[in-house]
Structure formats: C-alpha cells, structure tokens
Amino acid sequence: MGRRLVPLTLDNLRDLPGRCRSCVFWELDPVSGEAAVKAGTPESEKEGWISAVLLEWGSCGRVVYVDDVPVGFVLYAPPAYVPRSTAFPTSPVSPDAVQLITGAIIPEYQGQGLGRVMVQTVAKDLLRRGFRAIEAFGDARWEGPGCLLPAEHLLAVGFKTVRPHPVHPRLRLELRSTLSWKEDVELALDRLLGGARKEPVLRPL
C-alpha cells in the first residue's frame, strides 16, 4: 500500500470531499458565509481563502493519499485566518495556538495509522513555526457529523478545557506537554480524526 502525505494547495483542493470543498463555515464570518451560499459562490470563496493563507502564512492543511486515492485530510490555521472562530462565546483562540479547523479519514481507511502519520506532520510543522498548542471549539451536544468536533472526544484524547461552556467549550492540547509529545499527539489526534474504527463518533465530519 503506497501512501503519500501532501500539503493542501489549490491544485489538490478538489481531492477534499465535495461538501468540504464548498464549505466556508470556518473561512468566512457568519454573515459573509450566508451571503456566499445564497450567491452560489462558496467554492470560489474557499479557493480564495486557501490561496490567501498559503501566500501569507504557508501550508494550512494536508491531504493523505493511498495508492493515489485521496482518503483523508486535515485543515488548520492561526485564529487570525479563521473568521468564524470569533463568533463563538468561548473565543478567542489563544495567540500561541493554531486552530484545528476540521479533519477526517474516510471510513474504509480508518484504523490503519493514516491519521497518526498525518498529525505527526502537522505537529512538526506547527512546532517549527513556533506554536505551542492546538486548540479547537468543541460541540458539547454533538449528535452527528458537522463542522465542530465533539467535545467529549476531544477531552477523551487529551485536550483540556480552557474555557468551559454548556454548548461550545474551547479546548487545548499542548504540543510539548511531555517529552513524548510526538507519540501523545499522534495517538490522540489519530483517534480524533478517525483512527479508532470502533468509535462511530469518529467518522468523517
């Protein structure tokens, strides 16, 4: 089984799941996002966001391929590039952290260690850029796939609540919390992104 981990660019944006290619929930503020959907331009807005982040900050995602078939992805960026994050009651994301925006591995390829490989690359990238942690807004009332990750499972894989809320707590995972941060982060986020096949909640968002 040949597998490749490739930075997300405009050239391979098409390899994301269709609903993710046209989703601008995080990339635009609520008003602009609704306007883009009504105007039928969410895909072009997504491309514009990816292009701007690449030019100003650098890589903001990874796509994993198995035998040239795209089977998963992860998207992340500093909070300054994630307008929707300011709409949450538990914002803002800490200035020393990068926001874990979304990520998934398709069911057929879960449990094969692909999430671990993907997150190892992301963690190394963020540490090299000087960031200390990953933060995410959880959904404490998660009922099914959506744009937010379930708070219960963020907590279960090592995230800590830094600002509680009955619906949208903000959680944080320190990249250097232990000397074995690589193993801890890889295992935790591999489970979160779909590595634990037995967890139905970990299906692609």
Side-chain angles (χ1 to χ4, degrees):
M1 178 179 68
R3 60 191 187 186
R4 297 182 294 123
L5 197 67
V6 179
L8 177 65
T9 67
L10 293 178
D11 294 330
N12 60 10
L13 180 59
R14 66 183 182 279
D15 290 337
L16 269 60
R19 58 193 175 87
C20 297
R21 287 197 306 271
S22 59
C23 178
V24 290
F25 177 85
W26 291 108
E27 292 84 354
L28 298 176
D29 64 80
V31 174
S32 299
E34 184 178 350
V37 172
K38 288 183 178 179
T41 61
E43 286 197 23
S44 62
E45 292 285 354
K46 184 89 166 192
E47 291 182 4
W49 184 86
I50 295 291
S51 178
V53 178
L54 286 172
L55 288 172
E56 298 172 10
W57 184 68
S59 181
C60 57
R62 293 290 187 276
V63 183
V64 60
Y65 298 86
V66 174
D67 295 332
D68 295 324
V69 176
V71 301
F73 78 99
V74 64
L75 193 63
Y76 57 97
Y81 292 96
V82 190
R84 174 75 67 152
S85 67
T86 62
F88 285 82
T90 50
S91 65
V93 171
S94 302
D96 64 346
V98 163
Q99 184 178 342
L100 177 64
I101 299 174
T102 191
I105 296 173
I106 63 175
E108 296 88 335
Y109 289 87
Q110 292 177 7
Q112 299 181 18
L114 297 175
R116 182 177 298 110
V117 174
M118 186 161 56
V119 171
Q120 178 183 7
T121 302
V122 173
K124 288 180 178 178
D125 177 33
L126 298 182
L127 281 172
R128 186 174 63 249
R129 298 192 202 190
F131 292 94
R132 296 178 54 193
I134 299 172
E135 292 191 359
F137 294 101
D139 184 350
R141 300 179 182 177
W142 193 90
E143 296 182 350
C147 295
L148 275 75
L149 299 168
E152 179 181 357
H153 282 263
L154 285 166
L155 290 168
V157 299
F159 279 76
K160 304 295 182 183
T161 301
V162 291
R163 190 167 180 189
H165 188 270
V167 182
H168 296 137
R170 177 162 51 89
L171 305 102
R172 177 181 176 97
L173 182 65
E174 299 286 347
L175 293 180
R176 294 186 184 274
S177 58
T178 67
L179 292 177
S180 58
W181 67 267
K182 288 184 182 179
E183 296 178 1
D184 293 344
V185 173
E186 290 164 23
L187 178 59
L189 294 185
D190 180 40
R191 287 178 57 195
L192 179 64
L193 298 180
R197 183 183 297 274
K198 293 181 181 180
E199 298 282 357
V201 75
L202 302 179
R203 297 292 176 145
L205 301 178

